[in-house]
């Protein structure tokens, strides 16, 4: 109930610091409560998080929500996945709006900090390479910087040296 009570604070509060605190508190509690929430509530939380990512104007809140999404993804992906999350990243990375592209890079970086999530994203590594390549060439420096952060989070999880070379080599000239 505590987690569900925080969702309106995350979505409706006028104060950015309240929205950020709600995201931080949710992230701290999500691991111990995710299994107890049931499918309807976890789906509600996932949908709310994606909606907040798409609409939140404050950078600090977006970063906290991205970290919360990464925590939720660790649990959601072990129970069948969260395909809407990857769709959100794809849409955001291709958006004409700079803020959406930056959110996509922030989300990618947060997701790639988790070994569990990275393993679920492994089949999409070529797509991820293409997204990062486009973002590294973005005219907006903040987006390119976000892509560089995502790239640095991704590098340790590339596995074999051959995989790392084939995925990273095309990106190096873009950095």
């Amino acid at each position: 109930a505590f987690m569900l009570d925080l969702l309106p604070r995350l979505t409706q509060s006028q104060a950015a610091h309240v929205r950020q605190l709600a995201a931080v508190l949710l992230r701290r509690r999500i691991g111990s409560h995710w299994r107890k929430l049931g499918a309807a509530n976890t789906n509600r939380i996932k949908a709310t998080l994606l909606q907040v990512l798409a609409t939140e104007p404050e950078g600090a809140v977006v970063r906290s929500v991205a970290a919360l999404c990464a925590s939720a993804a660790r649990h959601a992906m072990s129970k069948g996945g969260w395909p809407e999350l990857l769709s959100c990243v794809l849409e955001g990375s291709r958006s004409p709006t700079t803020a959406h592209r930056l959110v996509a890079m922030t989300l990618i970086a947060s997701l790639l900090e988790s070994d569990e999530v990275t393993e679920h994203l492994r089949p999409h590594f070529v797509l991820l390479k293409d997204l990062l390549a486009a973002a590294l060439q973005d005219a907006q420096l903040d987006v390119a910087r976000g892509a560089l952060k995502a790239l640095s989070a991704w590098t340790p999880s590339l596995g074999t040296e051959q995989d790392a070379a084939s995925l990273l080599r095309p990106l190096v000239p873009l950095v």
Side-chain angles (χ1 to χ4, degrees):
F2 173 73
M3 289 185 60
L4 298 177
D5 291 339
L6 282 174
L7 283 179
R9 306 299 178 270
L10 180 63
T11 59
Q12 298 170 3
S13 178
Q14 297 298 312
H17 67 277
V18 172
R19 295 191 307 272
Q20 184 180 14
L21 180 60
V24 168
L25 291 173
L26 282 165
R27 183 181 53 80
R28 286 180 162 180
R29 298 285 181 130
I30 205 158
S32 59
H33 289 81
W34 191 260
R35 290 183 198 105
K36 302 173 192 171
L37 289 171
N41 287 327
T42 57
N43 288 335
R44 178 177 159 211
I45 290 170
K46 292 187 295 188
T48 300
L49 294 179
L50 294 180
Q51 180 241 334
V52 170
L53 282 175
T55 59
E56 177 58 52
E58 295 292 327
V61 179
V62 168
R63 287 187 296 277
S64 295
V65 172
L68 171 57
C69 283
S71 293
R74 276 194 293 275
H75 302 287
M77 291 193 178
S78 67
K79 289 189 171 193
W82 188 2
E84 301 88 357
L85 185 62
L86 187 56
S87 297
C88 176
V89 168
L90 290 173
E91 287 175 28
S93 67
R94 295 175 179 153
S95 172
T97 307
T98 301
H100 292 165
R101 294 191 312 275
L102 184 56
V103 166
M105 293 303 109
T106 302
L107 185 54
I108 289 170
S110 291
L111 290 170
L112 291 172
E113 290 175 2
S114 163
D115 292 337
E116 297 93 347
V117 175
T118 301
E119 284 307 310
H120 280 81
L121 293 176
R122 191 167 294 282
H124 307 287
F125 273 8
V126 173
L127 174 63
L128 187 58
K129 176 193 63 131
D130 295 340
L131 292 177
L132 291 175
L136 285 167
Q137 298 176 68
D138 200 288
Q140 296 297 318
L141 185 58
D142 286 343
V143 176
R145 189 178 297 126
L148 191 56
K149 287 178 184 177
L151 182 61
S152 69
W154 185 37
T155 303
S157 63
L158 290 177
T160 68
E161 198 168 309
Q162 185 177 4
D163 289 343
S166 68
L167 292 168
L168 290 179
R169 189 168 285 133
L171 299 176
V172 171
L174 304 175
V175 174

